[in-house]
Amino acid sequence: MRKVINIKNQIAELEHVEQFIEEICEELGLSMEMQMNLNLVLEEMVSNIIFYAYPKGTDAHIELVAESDGKELTFMLSDQGKEFDPTMKEDFNVEINPAERDLGGMGIYIMKNIMNQVTYQRLEGKNLLTMKKELKD
């Protein structure tokens, strides 16, 4: 299975991402829990691109590719925004009182804890975030 969706860098487009995840999970027969977890991860990562990758008011596109061999589901998220490697971000410290914590980082923490493998590359002016999730029988 291979599916691709291209969206604009606008918050309203998250609805299309959710529908994309729903279709994939339905096609692969994944649980509602898995669907909710994958949706949470992709919503967080796409939101980060929308809010932080481009100067305010810039129109741009984000590509999300999903591939599965039945044993693993891989998402590849790419954009041409400013370079940012979430795998290098220091892990979110859940021990710190939320009132004393810096803003940000929770989405990356969620991604790292839900997905089995996360890698980042900067290729030809594009950010490429690859996230893999093992599918259990």
Side-chain angles (χ1 to χ4, degrees):
M1 185 250 359
R2 184 176 198 278
K3 292 186 179 292
V4 180
I5 185 174
N6 285 287
I7 62 169
K8 296 174 186 167
N9 64 328
Q10 298 171 0
I11 202 70
E13 295 285 272
L14 289 175
E15 185 178 316
H16 298 295
V17 173
E18 187 175 341
Q19 291 169 348
F20 183 71
I21 302 297
E22 187 177 317
E23 289 171 14
I24 290 164
C25 290
E26 192 173 299
E27 185 174 322
L28 295 174
L30 303 179
S31 70
M32 182 55 73
E33 179 184 7
M34 176 75 83
Q35 180 178 324
M36 289 171 57
N37 284 338
L38 293 173
N39 191 55
L40 179 60
V41 167
L42 273 299
E43 183 178 301
E44 287 289 337
M45 294 305 100
V46 171
S47 294
N48 282 350
I49 295 168
I50 292 168
F51 290 123
Y52 306 115
Y54 299 95
K56 195 170 185 139
T58 303
D59 288 331
H61 292 275
I62 302 166
E63 181 180 74
L64 177 58
V65 178
E67 294 181 347
S68 180
D69 59 5
K71 295 177 184 169
E72 187 174 64
L73 177 56
T74 302
F75 290 100
M76 291 155 286
L77 190 57
S78 66
D79 67 88
Q80 293 181 305
K82 68 180 179 182
E83 186 172 353
F84 177 69
D85 182 353
T87 66
M88 299 305 290
K89 181 104 170 113
E90 190 174 312
D91 282 345
F92 187 82
N93 186 345
V94 292
E95 303 297 318
I96 295 175
N97 180 326
E100 298 170 9
R101 193 181 293 151
D102 289 337
L103 286 177
M106 187 64 158
I108 293 169
Y109 174 82
I110 290 168
M111 173 191 61
K112 288 179 177 179
N113 282 280
I114 289 177
M115 304 307 280
N116 297 102
Q117 183 183 357
V118 179
T119 57
Y120 169 84
Q121 294 176 289
R122 180 77 176 181
L123 296 171
E124 299 172 4
K126 288 185 180 181
N127 294 302
L128 179 61
L129 182 65
T130 303
M131 300 162 281
K132 296 184 179 198
K133 182 68 179 171
E134 293 172 10
L135 303 177
K136 298 187 171 114
D137 296 48

